Amino acid sequence: MLNYLGLPAAASSHAGEIDQMTALVHWLMLVLFVGWGAFFLFVLVRFRRGANPRANYAGAKGKIAKSTEIAVAIVEVALLLFYAIPAWATRVKEFPAENEATVVRVVGEQFAWNVHYAGADRLFGRTDIKLVSSDNPLGLDRSDPNAKDDITDINNLHVPVNRPVLVQLSSKDVIHSFGLYEMRVKQDAIPGMQIPVWFIPTVTTDEMRRNLGQPAFEYEITCSQLCGLGHFRMRGVVIVQTPDDFQKWLDEQAKDLAAAR
Ligand SMILES: [Cu+2]
């Protein structure tokens, strides 16, 4: 719909609203650019040296310029107060209930995204920084009863379609930024903080591949904060599945976990 802006495909329930605001801001900026550009050209001609050999120390008194400036400021304040802030508030004031959402912890590190599901008991197991190793990047304490069924993964975020996804986002080392372009999600991951971010994916990966005619398409997780030398390779994928496929994946993970024990 808003393809003229070159936006990525939209695949979440709130994407349309964000795109509308992006378009609105672009149009406003275009009007300002043309308006102020024309004013600048006018001033160049009007106050050229040839027509004004002596400087006027009182300066020019332009009513139109002043009222235009005030009008632009009012429009900008209105956009912020009545559009941008309320739109942001709907994202950060209320979060989906945990029992109605796919709750997943995502922990950024140099240079990967660790993914942690609570498993069948819906309780996240204890994690401890002392247990962090290359085999256990989340430092998950498997001796904790809540951790027994926990599923972990790296750079692969499986989620079911049309159900809220509640990501509890944090970082192990430096500030990263969790960017899902097709979902119109971007949130900094900050060490020492757990920040909730949510979205409702509306198009499965398979469906999007068909829609775009790109069989290899993936919803990418990009780190959108320059976080170190390997920043460029800090990428993951979101695999949006049908509820059945997602459940199948969860069951497989649980089976692998039981086999490993
Ligand atoms: Cu990063």
Side-chain angles (χ1 to χ4, degrees), residues 211-241:
N211 290 351
L212 296 173
Q214 294 171 17
F217 172 84
E218 297 282 8
Y219 293 123
E220 207 176 56
I221 307 171
T222 49
C223 181
S224 308
Q225 193 74 259
L226 189 54
C227 60
L229 277 179
H231 165 70
F232 69 95
R233 65 181 157 86
M234 187 165 171
R235 300 155 69 188
V237 289
V238 186
I239 299 130
V240 182
Q241 298 174 296

Side-chain angles (χ1 to χ4, degrees), residues 233-252:
R233 65 181 157 86
M234 187 165 171
R235 300 155 69 188
V237 289
V238 186
I239 299 130
V240 182
Q241 298 174 296
T242 62
D244 285 351
D245 285 351
F246 178 66
Q247 192 54 50
K248 226 183 277 170
W249 176 79
L250 281 179
D251 294 345
E252 270 166 32

Side-chain angles (χ1 to χ4, degrees), residues 28-253:
L28 177 68
M29 288 306 131
L30 182 69
V31 170
L32 289 183
F33 174 71
V34 172
W36 289 131
F39 178 68
F40 176 61
L41 292 178
F42 165 76
V43 167
L44 279 183
V45 176
R46 173 67 182 76
F47 300 105
R48 68 189 186 279
R49 193 177 172 201
N52 308 270
R54 274 178 64 88
N56 176 349
Y57 292 101
K61 299 243 175 352
K63 268 204 188 106
I64 300 175
K66 186 158 246 169
S67 39
T68 316
E69 201 167 338
I70 292 168
V72 168
I74 289 172
V75 170
E76 282 174 349
V77 168
L79 254 183
L80 193 67
L81 289 185
F82 301 113
Y83 205 92
I85 292 177
W88 176 239
T90 62
R91 307 297 311 151
V92 296
K93 242 174 87 184
E94 274 172 41
F95 290 90
E98 293 214 348
N99 56 359
E100 282 161 22
T102 308
V103 185
V104 55
R105 287 181 67 226
V106 173
V107 182
E109 70 169 72
Q110 288 173 318
F111 299 96
W113 297 103
N114 295 289
V115 177
H116 182 186
Y117 297 84
D121 65 357
R122 308 182 68 91
L123 293 169
F124 287 103
R126 198 178 75 88
T127 57
D128 190 332
I129 193 106
K130 291 190 202 90
L131 298 172
V132 170
S133 67
S134 55
D135 296 337
N136 186 6
L138 281 158
L140 186 61
D141 178 6
R142 287 286 184 192
S143 67
D144 176 27
N146 293 339
K148 295 251 186 291
D149 60 353
D150 285 19
I151 293 162
T152 61
D153 208 337
I154 294 180
N155 292 334
N156 285 311
L157 177 59
H158 289 255
V159 293
V161 73
N162 291 330
R163 189 182 154 92
V165 178
L166 180 60
V167 175
Q168 298 289 0
L169 187 66
S170 60
S171 166
K172 268 160 64 174
D173 38 39
V174 300
I175 297 175
H176 300 279
S177 182
F178 182 67
L180 312 176
Y181 291 94
E182 289 81 7
M183 306 299 163
R184 305 293 189 271
V185 164
K186 194 172 283 179
Q187 172 62 55
D188 277 5
I190 298 169
M193 286 179 84
Q194 183 152 288
I195 302 171
V197 53
W198 69 283
F199 60 97
I200 304 176
T202 52
V203 189
T204 64
T205 300
D206 285 339
E207 197 183 336
M208 187 56 89
R209 285 175 179 167
R210 282 195 297 275
N211 290 351
L212 296 173
Q214 294 171 17
F217 172 84
E218 297 282 8
Y219 293 123
E220 207 176 56
I221 307 171
T222 49
C223 181
S224 308
Q225 193 74 259
L226 189 54
C227 60
L229 277 179
H231 165 70
F232 69 95
R233 65 181 157 86
M234 187 165 171
R235 300 155 69 188
V237 289
V238 186
I239 299 130
V240 182
Q241 298 174 296
T242 62
D244 285 351
D245 285 351
F246 178 66
Q247 192 54 50
K248 226 183 277 170
W249 176 79
L250 281 179
D251 294 345
E252 270 166 32
Q253 298 301 306

